[in-house]
Amino acid sequence: MTAVPAAPIEAAEVEFAPYGDYQSDCPARMGVDLFGNSWLPVIVYMLRDGPMRPVDLRVAIGGISQKMLTQTLRRMERMTLVERRRYAEAPPRVEYELTTAGRDLLIPIYALGEWVDRHGAAVRAGLVGVDDDG
């Protein structure tokens, strides 16, 4: 059976107020910066089904240190992407849950996943034998 190529995804074009190229307050740059932190989209994706405790997040993600997880969750909390809930129990229990803004980040994450599904093999094949220095 021959694979049928997927139809291109049509994304709505967004009009921004005029900014200089890559100025720090440019909304597009903020979006790129969010994905520049390699763990942030992973954590958003892992929280897609509801709140999780940090220990469960770390196990589910794999490969992330406790320090990096804590730093990223704190950053995400400051950015209002996650909400931290502390329960008055012994021992204390903490959970993180996506806010509306965090849930909305799933849209580009899913779109990126679709792109990787369509083009990832070709990109990986092009990287074979390429060193990190370019």
Side-chain angles (χ1 to χ4, degrees):
M1 180 154 89
T2 305
V4 177
I9 296 172
E10 298 204 18
E13 197 168 318
V14 178
E15 292 291 326
F16 295 112
Y19 287 87
D21 291 341
Y22 296 102
Q23 285 187 349
S24 63
D25 60 346
C26 174
R29 183 170 171 182
M30 181 183 62
V32 171
D33 288 346
L34 284 173
F35 283 83
N37 176 321
S38 61
W39 292 114
L40 190 145
V42 173
I43 293 170
V44 169
Y45 184 78
M46 295 309 297
L47 291 172
R48 72 192 180 281
D49 292 327
M52 290 181 76
R53 297 176 68 182
V55 67
D56 297 328
L57 268 172
R58 188 165 178 232
V59 168
I61 291 170
I64 187 170
S65 69
Q66 183 63 48
K67 179 181 177 183
M68 183 56 62
L69 178 62
T70 300
Q71 287 176 347
T72 306
L73 285 168
R74 286 179 181 162
R75 179 174 179 235
M76 292 173 70
E77 188 178 10
R78 284 190 309 270
M79 298 169 77
T80 70
L81 299 175
V82 296
E83 182 178 289
R84 180 180 186 265
R85 288 202 180 106
R86 181 179 165 94
Y87 297 90
E89 300 174 352
R93 180 170 57 106
V94 173
E95 289 182 339
Y96 288 88
E97 183 173 20
L98 293 174
T99 62
T100 300
R103 282 190 301 277
D104 283 352
L105 261 179
L106 287 166
I107 296 166
I109 290 170
Y110 289 148
L112 186 58
E114 289 179 25
W115 182 89
V116 169
D117 189 49
R118 287 196 308 272
H119 304 289
V123 171
R124 273 191 303 277
L127 293 175
V128 173
V130 175
D131 63 16
D132 290 340
D133 295 328

